[in-house]
C-alpha cells in the first residue's frame, strides 16, 4: 500500500500537534487523521461531513485497545509534511490535478473532487505514480474550517 511510504517523508518541515483520541478509535500509522468542527478529538480520515484533515499519524495507536476514556490518551499528528496516499479506484487523481487539492476517500486513499461526497480536503497533489499512488502535501496545522 502506498501509505507506508508516508513514514519515509515525515520530518521534512513537520509540525507535531497532540490531539486526544476517542475511546472507540484505532489510528493506523501513515494514515490521515481528522478532527470535526464540534470537538478536537482525532479520528481516522473519512469522507464525512465536518471532517478536517489535521495531518498524518506517524505510528499506530488505539485507545480502544488500551481501554481508555475519550481524550485521556493523546496522539501526535504530523502536518507540514509530504506523504504518499493510495489512489482512488473509482475517481482517481490525474496529471491535471497537480498543484490542486485532492480529497479524502478514506484514511489512506485520496480522490479527485468529483467522487467525494463531502469534499474533505486531504492535501495538495505534488506527484502521481502508478506504483506508489499520489504524493500530497498537508499544510502545517492541517486544514481549517
Amino acid at each position: 500500500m502506498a501509505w507506508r511510504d508516508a513514514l519515509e517523508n515525515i520530518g521534512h518541515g513537520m509540525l507535531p500537534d497532540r490531539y486526544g483520541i476517542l475511546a472507540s478509535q484505532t489510528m493506523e500509522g501513515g494514515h490521515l487523521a481528522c478532527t470535526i468542527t464540534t470537538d478536537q478529538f482525532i479520528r481516522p480520515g473519512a469522507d464525512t461531513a465536518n471532517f478536517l484533515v489535521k495531518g498524518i499519524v506517524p505510528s499506530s495507536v488505539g485507545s480502544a485497545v488500551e481501554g481508555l476514556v475519550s481524550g485521556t490518551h493523546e496522539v501526535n499528528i504530523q502536518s507540514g509534511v509530504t506523504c504518499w496516499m493510495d489512489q482512488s479506484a473509482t475517481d482517481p487523481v490525474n496529471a491535471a490535478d497537480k498543484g490542486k487539492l485532492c480529497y479524502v476517500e478514506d484514511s489512506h486513499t485520496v480522490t479527485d473532487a468529483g467522487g467525494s461526497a463531502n469534499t474533505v480536503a486531504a492535501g495538495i497533489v505534488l506527484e502521481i505514480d502508478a506504483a506508489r499512488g499520489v504524493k500530497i502535501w498537508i499544510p502545517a496545522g492541517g486544514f481549517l474550517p
Side-chain angles (χ1 to χ4, degrees):
M1 298 176 103
W3 63 266
R4 290 187 179 123
D5 292 328
L7 299 178
E8 296 173 8
N9 291 302
I10 288 178
H12 301 288
M14 71 177 180
L15 293 176
D17 287 311
R18 293 185 65 77
Y19 291 90
I21 188 171
L22 289 170
S24 60
Q25 298 297 321
T26 297
M27 302 296 298
E28 297 295 328
H31 285 227
L32 294 168
C34 291
T35 59
I36 61 172
T37 55
T38 57
D39 69 44
Q40 286 297 303
F41 291 122
I42 209 71
R43 37 187 62 73
D47 181 26
T48 302
N50 300 317
F51 269 39
L52 301 167
V53 169
K54 292 299 178 182
I56 295 288
V57 181
S59 59
S60 296
V61 63
S63 61
V65 174
E66 298 164 14
L68 299 174
V69 176
S70 291
T72 61
H73 186 71
E74 290 187 334
V75 60
N76 283 324
I77 303 300
Q78 307 296 333
S79 63
V81 296
T82 61
C83 55
W84 289 93
M85 292 283 117
D86 289 333
Q87 173 77 282
S88 173
T90 56
D91 195 8
V93 175
N94 58 54
D97 296 318
K98 284 185 183 178
K100 298 178 183 175
L101 286 173
C102 61
Y103 300 88
V104 175
E105 184 172 289
D106 60 36
S107 67
H108 59 89
T109 308
V110 295
T111 183
D112 184 296
S116 187
N118 294 295
T119 58
V120 177
I124 296 176
V125 177
L126 300 177
E127 187 178 339
I128 301 163
D129 181 274
R132 296 179 87 183
V134 181
K135 185 176 187 178
I136 65 171
W137 174 70
I138 301 170
F143 290 94
L144 301 175

